[in-house]
């Protein structure tokens, strides 16, 4: 119920106008690091704070590019264009409920410095040299 009491003592009441729900929990942000375009899965409980709609998600203070799917226990997003650093995942439901937890790290963009040989045909073995080529991942797919 929602009850307002004026300084005169009069009451205004709405029965069943509001329902308390337990606080949600972010248990996992996977992967825990990446850059723009990284597919990220956020798992937990009561991620929508009692609502059924999601407003937005932030990773280390940067709004995600896209929310690909969401439910109360799993949200899938595409990371936005953040700067290198670490911060929390932040979920905002349409109701305004906010849930913050588990860290996310934006890594500096990778770069390819050299490809050897620079020319070839199908089947040519090449070597790629650069920095941060996996972008927070563990392998190339």
């Amino acid at each position: 119920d929602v009850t307002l009491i004026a300084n005169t003592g009069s009451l205004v009441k709405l029965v069943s106008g509001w329902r308390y729900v337990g606080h949600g929990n972010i248990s996992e942000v996977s992967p825990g690091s990446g850059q723009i375009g990284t597919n990220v899965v956020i798992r937990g409980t009561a991620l929508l704070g009692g609502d059924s709609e999601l407003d937005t998600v932030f990773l280390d203070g940067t709004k995600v590019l896209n929310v690909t799917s969401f439910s109360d226990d799993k949200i899938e997003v595409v990371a936005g264009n953040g700067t290198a650093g670490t911060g929390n995942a932040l979920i905002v439901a349409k109701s305004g409920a906010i849930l913050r937890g588990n860290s996310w790290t934006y890594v500096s963009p990778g770069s390819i410095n050299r490809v050897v040989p620079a020319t070839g045909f199908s089947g040519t073995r090449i070597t790629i040299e650069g920095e941060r080529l996996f972008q927070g991942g563990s392998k190339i797919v």
Side-chain angles (χ1 to χ4, degrees):
D1 295 350
V2 177
T3 303
L4 299 176
I5 304 172
N7 63 346
T8 62
S10 62
L11 299 173
V12 178
K13 187 173 189 172
L14 175 62
V15 176
S16 299
W18 190 77
R19 177 177 57 97
Y20 176 81
V21 295
H23 195 269
N25 177 53
I26 297 174
S27 60
E28 178 185 16
V29 178
S30 180
S33 64
Q35 67 165 343
I36 184 172
T38 301
N39 294 312
V40 180
V41 178
I42 302 169
R43 295 181 192 275
T45 56
L47 297 177
L48 302 177
D51 202 342
S52 62
E53 293 295 320
L54 180 65
D55 184 34
T56 192
V57 176
F58 294 87
L59 296 172
D60 185 25
T62 300
K63 187 175 180 179
V64 299
L65 286 179
N66 189 28
V67 175
T68 55
S69 70
F70 68 90
S71 67
D72 209 30
D73 61 357
K74 180 180 173 183
I75 299 173
E76 297 182 35
V77 300
V78 178
N81 191 16
T83 56
T86 299
N88 289 320
L90 179 76
I91 300 167
V92 182
K94 286 281 188 194
S95 67
I98 297 173
L99 181 59
R100 178 184 326 244
N102 284 38
S103 69
W104 164 263
T105 299
Y106 272 102
V107 296
S108 297
S111 63
I112 296 175
N113 300 331
R114 187 169 87 141
V115 178
V116 177
T119 62
F121 51 84
S122 178
T124 301
R125 289 183 179 247
I126 63 171
T127 299
I128 301 170
E129 296 175 0
E131 299 173 4
R132 296 172 301 283
L133 298 176
F134 290 175
Q135 290 300 278
S138 60
K139 63 183 176 180
I140 301 292
V141 293

